[in-house]
Amino acid sequence: MDFRIKGFQHCMCLILCTIYLVQCVSLYEFEKVGNFAYYIGEGDNASVIFYWFDARQECRSNGGQLVSVVSETQMNDLQKYIIDRRYANGSRFFTSGHSFHSPEPFKWDALQESVDYSKWLPGEGPKDSSFLSLQLIDSQLFMVTSLGFYEYYICEYETRQQKLCKILKTPDFYIPSVAIILAIILALKLILKNSKRKAKEDEQALVGSNDPS
Ligand SMILES: *[C@@H]1O[C@H](CO)[C@@H](O)[C@H](O)[C@H]1NC(C)=O
Ligand SMILES: *[C@@H]1O[C@H](CO)[C@@H](O)[C@H](O)[C@H]1NC(C)=O
């Protein structure tokens, strides 16, 4: 018996270690840039253009999220990072910015927050049903609207804390939670009501059986 439990524990440990190793190996190399860590993803030659949702998925499967640019410092750090890597003038990069499911002109999909800091290319600005990309023009990085077909995307490392914060912010999290809580309250009420009624019936039955008449 003892031997079997030990065997089971060893087996579980092996499985967990393997999962952990595979995760480590498959994790992309993020580079620390300022307060964040990024990598720039590219489409292969078979499909030079990347669809936004594919880019988001690719990024997530590597433990990150498409980048959200929340400050001037971050924008400048990104600009330097992109220039240092000698991307061509005019190159465009996907971010997590989109306006498809939002009444706001734009929000960062990865953070579930509105776009507060902005540096639009002159003539560009919030538009309905478009994405927000970054474009390198004459060694400066600007925000531009896009329809979702570009060859590069910037993936930002997502910490556990960010993941948790995001879950707490989504309505998809609250609606089922509230429904479950209501269901539990209703069920408890029913159980209490039933047990009260049962107690009353028992009491009556007891009184009835004690009645000599
Ligand atoms: C992709 O195509 C370009 C030209 O179309 C070529 O110069 C480059 O080497 C190709 N890259 C890969 C990874 O095959
Ligand atoms: C860089 O690209 C922009 C837009 O594509 C263009 O207007 C500009 O002239 C380019 N600059 C240089 C130095 O090629």
Side-chain angles (χ1 to χ4, degrees), residues 44-78:
D44 52 31
N45 267 3
S47 62
V48 178
I49 47 173
F50 246 101
Y51 193 54
W52 187 83
F53 292 95
D54 293 341
R56 184 175 68 167
Q57 189 47 45
E58 191 100 2
C59 189
R60 281 179 178 170
S61 63
N62 288 319
Q65 280 288 351
L66 287 174
V67 69
S68 306
V69 189
V70 296
S71 70
E72 189 180 354
T73 313
Q74 191 184 7
M75 187 70 153
N76 290 341
D77 288 344
L78 270 171

Side-chain angles (χ1 to χ4, degrees), residues 35-36 63 65 110-111 113 156-169:
N35 291 326
F36 303 90
Q65 280 288 351
L111 303 177
E113 276 174 13
E156 180 178 340
Y157 180 71
E158 190 181 38
T159 61
R160 264 184 211 156
Q161 203 182 345
Q162 284 172 314
K163 270 183 200 160
L164 190 68
C165 284
K166 199 176 58 202
I167 290 171
L168 292 177
K169 272 186 211 158

Side-chain angles (χ1 to χ4, degrees), residues 28 30 38-44 47-68 78 81-82 85 87 91-96 132-134 148-156:
Y28 232 83
F30 287 87
Y38 312 106
Y39 76 83
I40 295 181
E42 294 178 23
D44 52 31
S47 62
V48 178
I49 47 173
F50 246 101
Y51 193 54
W52 187 83
F53 292 95
D54 293 341
R56 184 175 68 167
Q57 189 47 45
E58 191 100 2
C59 189
R60 281 179 178 170
S61 63
N62 288 319
Q65 280 288 351
L66 287 174
V67 69
S68 306
L78 270 171
Y81 176 62
I82 285 168
R85 264 149 204 77
Y87 281 93
S91 295
R92 289 194 259 206
F93 307 84
F94 275 144
T95 71
S96 87
L132 191 167
S133 293
L134 300 176
F149 296 92
Y150 288 123
E151 48 195 321
Y152 304 116
Y153 62 90
I154 303 172
C155 190
E156 180 178 340

Side-chain angles (χ1 to χ4, degrees), residues 92-154:
R92 289 194 259 206
F93 307 84
F94 275 144
T95 71
S96 87
H98 78 159
S99 64
F100 278 88
H101 302 296
S102 169
E104 301 286 321
F106 267 105
K107 71 169 183 185
W108 298 116
D109 174 71
L111 303 177
Q112 296 296 317
E113 276 174 13
S114 62
V115 172
D116 294 330
Y117 165 75
S118 66
K119 186 186 169 189
W120 292 102
L121 183 71
E124 284 278 349
K127 246 183 235 160
D128 275 345
S129 300
S130 65
F131 295 97
L132 191 167
S133 293
L134 300 176
Q135 187 170 22
L136 187 66
I137 290 177
D138 295 332
S139 301
Q140 264 211 76
L141 203 55
F142 292 98
M143 291 177 172
V144 293
T145 52
S146 68
L147 291 176
F149 296 92
Y150 288 123
E151 48 195 321
Y152 304 116
Y153 62 90
I154 303 172

